[in-house]
Amino acid sequence: MSLRIIRLLVLWSGSLVVPFTVSYAQEPEKRPDQATADRYHNPILPGDFQNTDVIRVGTTYYYISATKELSPGMLIMASKDLVNWKPIGHAVNDLTQIHPRYNYDRMEGNSRGIWAGSIRHHHNRFYVYFTDPDYGLFVTTATRPEGPWSKLTPVKKEAGWDDPCPFWDDNGQTYLVMTHFADAYKIRLFRMSRDGKALLDTGTVLYQGKGSEASKLYKINGYYYHFYSEVTPEGRIPFMARARTIQGPYTERRQLIHKAEGEPNQGGLVQTTGGSWYFVTHHGNAYWCGREASLLPVVWQDGWPLWGKPGTDGIGNMVWSAEKPRQSGPIDTLLTSDDFTSATLSPQWEWYFQPRTDKWSLTENPGFLRLYACKPLQPDQITKTTNVLTQRPLRTDKNVATVKMAIAHMVTGQAAGLALFGKTTGRIHVRRSDTGFRFICDQPAASTASETIDARTRYVWFRASWNKAGEAQFSYSTDGQHFENLGPIYQLTNFGNYLGAKLGLYTVNDTADRGFVDIDWFHYHAKRP
């Protein structure tokens, strides 16, 4: 199945300890080379769509993905078929609501910020909960998933928590479950106020395992189900525990799937309008692109939701292809390309840290993204450069990202270009000097420059191409037709702490806040088998 891409281009009791035996997988299903029109291929989102949660409201599914230090934060996507997803917005517009260190003038806290959360719909209102590992638990609400979302409400101002999930019981009582990783990964259950904005107690230990986290609470057919994952001899494995009352005891639990490539892990259980069940999960292992997401059919056996293909041992196995949940109807498309014709940024874009708002515009020159050069916090460091606009590079077989940029208003000392960055940075940019322009490709191993180009040059084109292995090549053009490779092959890397590599547009001036560029368009095409 081809990945469709368009313009710019989502129990508890006190301390439950139940003996169990880890069974190892039977013959795993192999990855198919391709999927037919009525089938989908995993991963459905081959990029950094991590810390997944999914719900259905009416006939539409909604997906959230944690964004760490990127802004706007907590990506929200929509889908009609659980396979094809379209970004529609973000839940957090300003990261400085969490802490000032995420602002452009500090740019501190790499891979902290917005961690895993949950999205729920209750009494005609959407709720998104998440934690910052250093600053605690927050909630924001909206009547529409596209927003506007409310100002963040701090619910618990304490470090060391992650993976929160609310639950509204039939009697209206509100609960929240989350992991206290600073206290040996105890999962605690709290009572909350009915508006979901205040905790009413210090919590009861729901479960404690080795690295137990990723909690979700569901009520299905009279049972309360607590989903979570923990580290076992087989690896990090998802489980369910269940009880007849929300207070427990949760004396039953079941392994849901065997370990597979990438460790399917955290996510959300959802039922279609037709009554079928699926689990949307991220993969716990981070490739250079971060943590990808897959869709797994769910089979219920003896009251337990098994993921993928059930084995004779009563545990699910990973499937890399399955029948689509819906065979017809409109298709949501993952946004990548952008012609910048809107007065607002398309929702596939996120700034690296909170941006400086007076240094970019979509209205000063309609049809272009104007980026003003700022002096960086640290020279030659893309991770300390103000207003780097990013999106997710995809881990597919062939990727080509091309940018057309107007450079007539660049000043001496200013650079502007395209970057692929994580633990290491590869970038190609044009730098203005007194005599003209030069293209420069900077990589960890080398810096390669072109000959000087006429100072009267008005437009330049940058291109980055990479494959599934993350092997990237940069090139440039002065006519948009003929591209010249610059620099050696560059190996993409993630940031560590599970944050995937980013594709970024930027301009910078090491000496002063002077000069600007106008980006005409950004076109990104990705191809799968």
Side-chain angles (χ1 to χ4, degrees), residues 36-294:
T36 59
D38 61 346
R39 298 180 69 82
Y40 67 88
H41 180 82
N42 280 322
I44 55 170
L45 292 167
D48 196 19
F49 298 92
Q50 60 172 286
N51 291 316
T52 308
D53 192 26
V54 173
I55 60 170
R56 178 177 60 83
V57 179
T59 59
T60 304
Y61 304 95
Y62 297 102
Y63 180 122
I64 62 169
S65 175
T67 47
K68 304 292 175 60
E69 69 266 33
L70 303 178
S71 181
M74 191 60 87
L75 175 66
I76 302 172
M77 299 194 293
S79 174
K80 289 292 186 179
D81 63 3
L82 285 172
V83 175
N84 300 282
W85 294 90
K86 180 180 181 179
I88 60 172
H90 293 79
V92 184
N93 286 327
D94 187 349
L95 264 63
T96 63
Q97 294 178 78
I98 301 172
H99 195 274
R101 72 173 178 173
Y102 299 120
N103 203 29
Y104 68 86
D105 57 353
R106 292 177 60 174
M107 297 181 73
E108 300 169 353
N110 300 72
S111 296
R112 309 302 277 179
I114 295 176
W115 279 22
S118 294
I119 182 170
R120 291 293 182 267
H121 188 253
H122 177 68
H123 285 176
N124 299 315
R125 180 168 290 274
F126 290 88
Y127 292 75
V128 167
Y129 289 80
F130 69 89
T131 61
D132 178 299
D134 302 313
Y135 301 108
L137 170 67
F138 297 86
V139 63
T140 178
T141 70
T143 56
R144 299 173 64 249
E146 299 88 351
W149 288 82
S150 66
K151 183 179 179 181
L152 291 181
T153 298
V155 181
K156 187 175 184 61
K157 296 181 179 180
E158 182 179 270
W161 296 86
D162 67 1
D163 298 353
C165 180
F167 178 79
W168 281 266
D169 208 348
D170 298 336
N171 61 5
Q173 178 60 58
T174 310
Y175 298 88
L176 182 128
V177 61
M178 64 177 172
T179 290
H180 196 187
F181 66 82
D183 184 20
Y185 283 85
K186 292 187 178 83
I187 297 177
R188 285 186 174 270
L189 178 77
F190 300 86
R191 289 188 306 113
M192 281 205 301
S193 59
R194 292 203 174 195
D195 65 2
K197 295 183 178 181
L199 300 181
L200 302 181
D201 57 27
T202 58
T204 303
V205 175
L206 189 68
Y207 181 74
Q208 182 180 11
K210 184 177 181 181
S212 46
E213 56 185 8
S215 291
K216 298 289 191 300
L217 286 172
Y218 305 96
K219 188 175 183 181
I220 303 169
N221 293 334
Y223 277 103
Y224 294 88
Y225 287 88
H226 174 216
F227 167 78
Y228 60 96
S229 73
E230 66 176 291
V231 179
T232 75
E234 187 177 345
R236 177 166 285 282
I237 296 296
F239 288 88
M240 279 283 196
R242 70 180 185 181
R244 282 293 187 182
T245 65
I246 198 165
Q247 294 83 9
Y250 287 78
T251 55
E252 301 177 274
R253 75 168 182 163
R254 184 82 167 262
Q255 181 176 339
L256 304 182
I257 193 170
H258 285 293
K259 180 181 177 181
E261 180 183 340
E263 288 193 348
N265 190 333
Q266 185 160 321
L269 179 68
V270 65
Q271 187 179 28
T272 69
T273 55
S276 299
W277 290 84
Y278 289 86
F279 197 89
V280 183
T281 180
H282 81 201
H283 290 267
N285 293 346
Y287 300 104
W288 59 262
C289 68
R291 290 186 280 192
E292 303 170 324
S294 286

Side-chain angles (χ1 to χ4, degrees), residues 360-474:
W360 70 277
S361 175
L362 284 163
T363 58
E364 289 183 15
N365 186 7
F368 292 80
L369 168 64
R370 177 162 291 179
L371 291 180
Y372 287 92
C374 298
K375 188 176 180 179
L377 301 184
Q378 186 176 338
D380 299 321
Q381 293 294 326
I382 201 75
T383 54
K384 292 296 182 180
T385 297
T386 299
N387 287 19
V388 179
L389 185 62
T390 78
Q391 66 168 272
R392 295 158 181 78
L394 302 178
R395 196 176 74 100
T396 58
D397 293 278
K398 183 178 181 180
N399 299 265
V400 179
T402 308
V403 184
K404 181 183 179 183
M405 184 181 293
I407 61 172
H409 296 283
M410 289 183 68
V411 300
T412 298
Q414 182 186 356
L418 176 67
L420 285 162
F421 64 107
K423 290 179 183 176
T424 60
T425 297
R427 58 179 176 170
I428 185 169
H429 59 236
V430 63
R431 182 175 291 276
R432 179 74 185 259
S433 69
D434 292 334
T435 57
F437 297 98
R438 297 183 80 186
F439 289 97
I440 301 171
C441 181
D442 287 325
Q443 299 184 26
S447 181
T448 309
S450 71
E451 299 294 329
T452 300
I453 297 169
D454 194 328
R456 294 171 294 181
T457 302
R458 294 182 56 82
Y459 289 97
V460 295
W461 289 256
F462 302 104
R463 176 169 289 172
S465 305
W466 65 94
N467 59 19
K468 192 171 184 178
E471 298 164 330
Q473 176 72 67
F474 294 101

